[in-house]
Amino acid sequence: MHRIAIGLLAAGLLPSIALAQGARVDQFRWLAGCWAFDTPDGRYEESWTSPAGNSMLGVSRRIVDGFTREFEYMRIVTSGGGGFDFIALPQGENATRFNSVSFTDGSVVFENPDNDFPNRVTYTLAPPDGVDARIEGRSNGQPMGINFPLKRTSCP
């Protein structure tokens, strides 16, 4: 066993294996639950499962005049490099993967520089009962950002 560990250490593989095993989606437990906010253009809702199986599943929707106008399926999973991936399926279409570029106990930033909009997704805990979500990127060649000041709400 020592020979295997020494060989992995010498090959530079042991530190990345340890990092990948230590990265757990559980640290985003603060995101689990139901969130919403109202705008003049309708209501935005987002729900996240509790971490299990080293993943979190999310769904969001925008409701206008009593009808769902937009929806998205989402996942947060551990990436192979020891960080995390945010995978989004807007309108249930093709998946877009964003890699974590930073994360703490109360925030996470995901980026995909190859995606036009958004190319950055951020979630930040906003005590006592909020989460600030933000998407950023370029739209029609111009920088653009949208804030989602989410407040905890009861789950249906």
Side-chain angles (χ1 to χ4, degrees):
M1 187 63 154
H2 277 317
R3 288 183 186 166
I4 292 171
I6 291 169
L8 288 173
L9 186 60
L13 297 176
L14 196 56
S16 64
I17 290 169
L19 179 60
Q21 289 176 345
R24 301 294 298 178
V25 173
D26 295 13
Q27 75 184 75
F28 304 120
R29 182 170 299 283
W30 51 266
L31 187 57
C34 297
W35 308 92
F37 79 98
D38 294 307
T39 74
D41 297 323
R43 181 174 180 83
Y44 178 84
E45 299 175 340
E46 187 164 310
S47 300
W48 285 93
T49 63
S50 295
N54 208 26
S55 69
M56 292 180 73
L57 304 177
V59 63
S60 68
R61 66 181 172 182
R62 188 172 67 90
I63 301 167
V64 179
D65 298 326
F67 293 94
T68 298
R69 300 294 183 196
E70 297 171 354
F71 69 96
E72 184 168 28
Y73 301 117
M74 303 166 288
R75 284 187 298 153
I76 298 175
V77 298
T78 303
S79 70
F84 302 94
D85 287 343
F86 175 87
I87 301 142
L89 287 87
Q91 301 298 99
E93 296 292 328
N94 298 328
T96 303
R97 184 176 294 263
F98 299 79
N99 305 113
S100 62
V101 293
S102 69
F103 50 90
T104 66
D105 288 338
S107 70
V108 60
V109 178
F110 301 97
E111 288 185 353
N112 178 340
D114 297 328
N115 198 48
D116 53 355
F117 189 85
N119 63 19
R120 177 181 267 232
V121 177
T122 304
Y123 285 95
T124 305
L125 182 62
D129 64 348
V131 166
D132 292 329
R134 180 170 171 82
I135 56 176
E136 300 173 67
R138 298 188 79 71
S139 180
N140 297 320
Q142 299 298 313
M144 182 174 155
I146 301 172
N147 294 316
F148 299 87
L150 301 166
K151 295 292 181 197
R152 189 169 295 281
T153 187
S154 59
C155 294

